[in-house]
Amino acid sequence: MERFDYADLHALCEDIQRRRLDIPCSVDTGILKKPYDKNGIYLKNRILAQPVEGFDANDDGSPSDRTFERYTELARGGAGCLWLESTSVDFSGRSNRKQLWITEDNWEKFRELTEAIRKASDGKIYLVLQLTHSGRYSNPEGIPKPIVAFHSEAIKKENEYIISDEELDRLEDDYIKAVKLAEKAGFDAVDIRACHGYLLNELFAAYDRPGKYGGPFENRTRLFVSICKRAMKESGITVGVRLNMYDGVAYPYGWGCSKDGQLKMDLEEALRLIGILYSSGIRLFNVTNGIGACSPFMIRPYDSGGPEPAEHQLEGIERMQVCAKLVKQHAPEAAVVVSGLTWLREYSANVAAGGIENKYYDIAGFGRQSIAYPGFANDILKDGTVKREHFCRTCCGCTNLIKVKKEELVCVFKEQLAKEA
């Protein structure tokens, strides 16, 4: 692993070519200004702020004043789409006591949030609410209460509870209730989240689980597919997915890996799932990889702050680019969002533009950068880039940035710089 240190765009492109990586790049970033308008999905530009959990909801799961502050500031930042953070569909699936949770009692507060975001943005902004169950990472009352699809030797948790088929049946109803509430709250779309090791994603790797939600491919994907189909049938909201193509965890504990026990990607099942979703009517795919507990560098290539991976960061970026490219090939009329761009700093817009020009994907998703510098999209749209000193340092200090108020950020950065020195 090497720290980001490219003198200019030419140096980056030379390194990509030397490593023989499939990462398209464009000098002209003007395509990012163009709207996306297809299948009822309209974005005023091709820049998307990815979901990043803020840990600041009220106790009842409703957005707090701090939640409003974060999202209205981000709305003023110019991105065409805000893909709002993980919002639980039930109490037991909350990742912490401050995670958003949409219910019959608080959905009107979410309505106030969508109205505030639209008021703060310059023009139309597309809003997606991510719906989730934290599964192995459930912690609703400040005490870990992991709810798992199966016992995993790769990611062990104390006091794991294997959720029953009957409970999964009821969970499907919870998702549908949340979808309908999101529609009432004024969101343009919902995301049935199946990524980063959370419950629906974990079920994809339930190879040895008995019953109707384990074993064959059809069983392991049954709940996810059923939720997506019911959501489309029983509501009028656009249904999208943020989907892991590859967990980076060896079989039989991970999805998207070869079954020889090696960490080689095997996307046959993931692409098969894409085909099923696409033929069912899904037209919004947000592509990602990795599990935070064991392969965080696959979610977000970084310079420091996490376990050092064996691969170069550009290899992780290529993986994201190729996965998005394959999804686009299997879902040609869908809006496909790529992830994992932030490590590229001021050249992220050049890679994003190159990918869109080459029809690898349609929309460029930024996660950590939207936390570090909420106005980044305006700068990209105005100048074609963002100055390096304004960009995220990929130090994995995102949660520190989220948890402090804006006026305290300078202190956080000074502390980080002192540690690196």
Side-chain angles (χ1 to χ4, degrees):
M1 188 175 77
E2 301 174 11
R3 285 182 179 272
F4 181 90
D5 187 26
Y6 295 105
D8 51 33
L9 179 61
H10 179 70
L12 170 63
C13 294
E14 277 194 336
D15 198 21
I16 290 171
Q17 186 175 15
R18 180 177 64 83
R19 297 175 185 276
R20 299 181 179 180
L21 299 175
D22 187 3
I23 302 176
C25 198
S26 174
V27 174
D28 182 4
T29 62
I31 198 169
L32 298 178
K33 299 179 183 180
K34 293 184 177 181
Y36 180 90
D37 188 4
K38 189 178 288 188
N39 298 311
I41 300 170
Y42 178 85
L43 277 65
K44 62 186 177 183
N45 58 57
R46 302 302 183 95
I47 299 175
L48 178 148
Q50 296 276 34
V52 182
E53 195 171 339
F55 309 105
D56 56 18
N58 294 317
D59 288 343
D60 69 345
S62 64
S64 67
D65 290 346
R66 175 62 177 148
T67 314
F68 275 74
E69 179 186 346
R70 285 192 296 112
Y71 280 112
T72 52
E73 182 178 29
L74 191 52
R76 289 189 289 269
C81 174
L82 299 191
W83 199 292
L84 276 72
E85 67 197 77
S86 300
T87 300
S88 191
V89 300
D90 71 3
F91 176 77
S92 68
R94 294 179 82 183
S95 64
N96 60 83
R97 288 182 292 184
K98 293 297 182 180
Q99 184 183 32
L100 291 175
W101 169 32
I102 191 166
T103 70
E104 288 282 1
D105 295 326
N106 69 20
W107 71 267
E108 290 181 336
K109 195 70 175 179
F110 284 86
R111 178 78 188 192
E112 291 177 22
L113 179 61
T114 62
E115 291 172 349
I117 292 171
R118 295 190 195 285
K119 184 177 180 179
S121 66
D122 179 15
K124 188 172 177 62
I125 189 165
Y126 197 80
L127 299 180
V128 183
L129 184 65
Q130 182 173 80
L131 300 177
T132 194
H133 185 291
S134 296
R136 191 171 292 272
Y137 308 99
S138 294
N139 187 3
E141 298 177 289
I143 301 172
K145 292 185 177 180
I147 298 172
V148 304
F150 55 87
H151 291 306
S152 172
E153 291 299 316
I155 312 171
K156 294 182 179 180
K157 294 281 185 178
E158 292 186 3
N159 302 316
E160 293 178 344
Y161 172 72
I162 297 181
I163 190 168
S164 69
D165 286 1
E166 292 74 23
E167 289 168 312
L168 289 174
D169 291 339
R170 292 194 292 272
L171 182 61
E172 179 175 324
D173 293 332
D174 290 337
Y175 269 94
I176 302 307
K177 289 176 185 175
V179 168
K180 293 177 180 178
L181 292 173
E183 183 177 16
K184 288 172 66 176
F187 289 93
D188 296 295
V190 290
D191 160 26
I192 309 302
R193 184 191 194 194
C195 64
H196 304 157
Y198 295 92
L199 185 59
L200 293 182
N201 176 205
E202 185 172 84
L203 278 166
F204 295 164
Y207 302 100
D208 297 326
R209 179 187 170 103
K212 67 178 183 180
Y213 293 116
F217 168 84
E218 292 78 9
N219 287 4
R220 290 181 279 115
T221 58
R222 182 191 303 275
L223 182 61
F224 178 61
V225 171
S226 182
I227 291 169
C228 291
K229 287 183 176 180
R230 278 189 62 189
M232 286 186 286
K233 182 179 179 180
E234 298 180 29
S235 77
I237 198 169
T238 294
V239 177
V241 296
R242 182 150 161 80
L243 184 68
N244 255 28
M245 300 296 287
Y246 173 63
D247 291 345
V249 177
Y251 176 86
Y253 305 115
W255 161 257
C257 287
S258 63
K259 292 183 171 58
D260 61 3
Q262 303 298 310
L263 284 178
K264 294 183 294 185
M265 275 202 310
D266 181 348
L267 301 184
E268 185 274 328
E269 287 194 340
L271 292 173
R272 186 176 166 191
L273 177 58
I274 294 295
I276 292 170
L277 296 172
Y278 185 65
S279 65
S280 299
I282 298 292
R283 292 295 181 267
L284 181 58
F285 294 90
N286 193 331
V287 181
T288 187
N289 294 303
I291 294 176
C294 51
S295 51
F297 59 92
M298 293 185 184
I299 305 173
R300 48 188 184 276
Y302 50 74
D303 274 351
S304 61
E308 185 166 323
E311 67 181 26
H312 189 274
Q313 293 93 332
L314 286 175
E315 295 176 53
I317 291 167
E318 181 197 41
R319 183 186 297 113
M320 287 288 197
Q321 296 281 315
V322 169
C323 286
K325 177 182 178 181
L326 289 169
V327 171
K328 187 64 182 174
Q329 290 172 355
H330 284 73
E333 294 301 310
V336 176
V337 183
V338 77
S339 304
L341 293 167
T342 297
W343 184 82
L344 294 162
R345 308 313 204 265
E346 65 268 36
Y347 311 126
S348 57
N350 301 98
V351 170
I356 294 171
E357 287 175 358
N358 285 277
K359 303 187 187 308
Y360 280 34
Y361 41 84
D362 306 281
I363 300 161
F366 292 82
R368 290 169 299 172
Q369 176 57 13
S370 65
I371 306 167
Y373 186 56
F376 78 101
N378 280 331
D379 284 352
I380 289 176
L381 296 169
K382 178 183 176 182
D383 301 323
T385 188
V386 176
K387 291 181 180 179
R388 187 176 299 190
E389 59 265 31
H390 293 160
F391 230 88
C392 172
R393 301 174 63 82
T394 65
C395 64
C396 293
C398 306
T399 53
N400 291 331
L401 292 176
I402 295 167
K403 291 176 181 178
V404 299
K405 294 183 178 179
K406 184 167 62 175
E407 59 268 21
E408 297 172 320
L409 291 182
V410 173
C411 297
V412 174
F413 281 123
K414 285 182 178 178
E415 290 175 4
Q416 182 63 34
L417 287 170
K419 289 178 182 178
E420 292 181 3

